[in-house]
Amino acid sequence: MRLKTINALMSICLVTCLTGCGTVKTEYVYKCNIPVSLTQSNNEPHIDKKITWGQCPVLYTELLNELRQCNADKQAIKQITDGK
């Protein structure tokens, strides 16, 4: 009687272990092709060690243009990854 009980418990344990490993979850990963031009680093404007007040507006304009280009690249990447 005791041997039958142990065998039954072992069988139940093995069945639960095997069914626990039998569950498979499939996940699909969306792969998108992002152009290399959007992932390239942007140019840094050259800043001299000594900068004059007259060079500040030019430097500001260059930095602002680079920032706008970065934001445009990020927006384009977002549109590609969203599938639009």
Side-chain angles (χ1 to χ4, degrees):
M1 179 72 177
R2 184 172 170 96
L3 187 59
K4 287 183 180 181
T5 307
I6 292 174
N7 284 339
L9 290 174
M10 291 294 276
S11 297
I12 292 171
C13 182
L14 287 174
V15 169
T16 40
C17 288
L18 291 175
T19 56
C21 296
T23 309
V24 176
K25 184 178 179 183
T26 304
E27 291 186 22
Y28 296 98
V29 178
Y30 175 71
K31 183 178 178 183
C32 58
N33 295 325
I34 298 175
V36 177
S37 62
L38 295 178
T39 58
Q40 289 177 344
S41 60
N42 290 21
N43 300 329
E44 292 182 20
H46 177 70
I47 302 174
D48 293 327
K49 294 214 181 227
K50 288 186 175 181
I51 189 168
T52 63
W53 285 105
Q55 293 171 326
C56 283
V58 175
L59 180 62
Y60 174 76
T61 305
E62 290 176 3
L63 290 173
L64 193 58
N65 287 337
E66 290 299 320
L67 180 63
R68 286 182 180 146
Q69 183 61 44
C70 287
N71 288 335
D73 291 347
K74 287 181 183 180
Q75 188 66 28
I77 290 172
K78 184 176 179 185
Q79 288 177 351
I80 291 171
T81 56
D82 287 346
K84 294 182 179 178

